[in-house]
Amino acid sequence: MSADYIQQLFADRLGGPQFGLKEEIYKFEKIKRIKKEALQANPHMELIDLGVGEPDAMADEAVVEILAEEAKKPENRMYADNGIVELKHAAAKYMKHVFGVYDLDPETEINHSIGSKSALAMLPAAFINSGDITLMPSPSYPILGTHTEYYGGEIVHLPLLESNSYLPKLDSLNEGILKKAKLLYLNYPNNPTGAVATVEFFEEVVQFAKKNQLIVVHDASYAALVFDDEKPLSFLSVPGAKEIGIELHSLSKSFNMTGWRIGFMAGNSKLVKVIKAVKDTIDSGQFIAIQKAAAFALSHPEITEQTVAKYSRRHNLLEKVLRECGFTVKKPKGSFFLYTKIPKAVASGPHFQSAEEFSQYLLREHLISSVPWDDAGHYVRFSVTFQAKGVKEEQRVITEIKARLSTSKFIF
């Protein structure tokens, strides 16, 4: 029996009957394909991956041991639903110790999530009706925006410009947009720019949200990864923030637990309650043994401090090399990303009309992977999570990066 009718049944949000008929290649898939081509063309050359957006190291051995122990216990095999008490209390203590947020009720103002991505995907189900608006920085992690559109909502982009320290200009929004806006997404330290927010900016956000009756969603996935004199900053540490917002934390970046899929949400009790209600209809909670290991990790923030020292060191090395190769670049204050303008051309070589063209050039000509961003200017994102065990190996990789880039004379 023919099943051709299936093509007519796809949801409009995915393209309806046109779904799958026109190949639209996401930029990360393009990078993956070009990596393969470049390696085939240069089989004896090492690929240096500065594009990867996840830690290069394993989770701390003590955390892995807790997981192994807890996984053997029969009582941990059950559904976790909306999480275990132990993790909620560990999260509350973590917020107090690392960020100075003292007034979180672990029972009503904290809940676990299967990573930040799933929490961001659930939020629009709780708030977005057809025609409602989510305010999204550009560039940014797209999940909240994607699911806003799934529910018939609209996205209004707020450009993140170097001239404004990669902070969105909230006063650029007109009254018509603000009347329909419900959610404001923020992410600091920021992916991809590496920018950090200030207390003053968060204070402005609180007043702006109250005035325009907005819910603030702060994605704090990189919140503890800050360098030099910068201190970890939580949106919830600002007076009034908990009245209008929620903050999402993840153990993926700060504790090298990307594939574990564990994080937590904290903030306004009504927001936590409604996300829990949506979550009840979507998942049955993360494996309890993972939650137990996460609770242990959160009680040992020194694990993150060791990772911060590594990333800071690598940032220093990469910044120096890129400057020596002509780039105008500055070490970020947070995250493991270094974001920089692309060159206009290569002497006696190609001109670049977009960051994507330049990123592909780096891969094909130098076997160096990066991530292009053409959302608000033409930039590439380099990551310091490249594979290297120890300081000596880091220096070898950085030296190789310089050797390769030095063969091209970039014109800026």
Side-chain angles (χ1 to χ4, degrees), residues 88-89 91-106 109-110 232 234-239 242 247 266-267:
K88 295 177 183 181
H89 283 263
K93 291 178 181 177
Y94 174 78
M95 292 297 293
K96 178 180 178 180
H97 178 75
V98 176
F99 299 101
V101 179
Y102 292 90
D103 59 346
L104 286 170
D105 183 337
E109 295 176 335
I110 293 177
S234 165
F235 176 66
L236 297 176
S237 68
V238 175
K242 196 170 70 170
E247 189 165 77

Side-chain angles (χ1 to χ4, degrees), residues 18-89:
Q18 298 303 309
F19 173 75
L21 298 181
K22 180 181 178 183
E23 186 179 28
E24 294 186 9
I25 307 174
Y26 188 41
K27 69 180 174 185
F28 288 100
E29 178 60 25
K30 288 183 183 178
I31 293 169
K32 182 178 178 181
R33 294 184 185 186
I34 297 170
K35 279 183 186 178
K36 185 177 180 180
E37 293 172 8
L39 283 168
Q40 288 175 343
N42 302 275
H44 304 297
M45 194 172 177
E46 173 191 13
L47 171 71
I48 299 177
D49 198 338
L50 302 182
V52 65
E54 61 180 76
D56 61 306
M58 290 278 290
D60 188 85
E61 287 185 12
V63 177
V64 176
E65 287 174 5
I66 294 293
L67 172 65
E69 292 171 9
E70 296 294 336
K72 295 176 184 176
K73 297 179 180 178
E75 64 268 26
N76 289 339
R77 77 188 191 282
M78 309 301 291
Y79 291 125
D81 295 325
N82 266 312
I84 61 173
V85 172
E86 183 179 342
L87 178 58
K88 295 177 183 181
H89 283 263

Side-chain angles (χ1 to χ4, degrees), residues 131-174:
D132 290 339
I133 286 175
T134 291
L135 304 174
M136 293 284 293
S138 180
S140 70
Y141 189 56
I143 298 302
L144 185 68
T146 299
H147 285 264
T148 290
E149 292 178 328
Y150 279 0
Y151 288 101
E154 302 173 21
I155 303 301
V156 171
H157 294 284
L158 291 163
L160 298 182
L161 303 176
E162 191 173 353
S163 59
N164 199 50
S165 301
Y166 301 114
L167 300 172
K169 291 186 177 181
L170 302 177
D171 58 7
S172 66
L173 297 164
N174 64 50

Side-chain angles (χ1 to χ4, degrees), residues 223-258:
L225 298 179
V226 291
F227 313 120
D228 303 325
D229 296 328
E230 197 70 27
K231 302 298 181 185
L233 176 63
S234 165
F235 176 66
L236 297 176
S237 68
V238 175
K242 196 170 70 170
E243 298 172 26
I244 48 84
I246 192 165
E247 189 165 77
L248 307 178
H249 285 263
S250 168
L251 279 78
S252 293
K253 318 300 184 183
S254 298
F255 291 93
N256 298 341
M257 294 168 66
T258 309

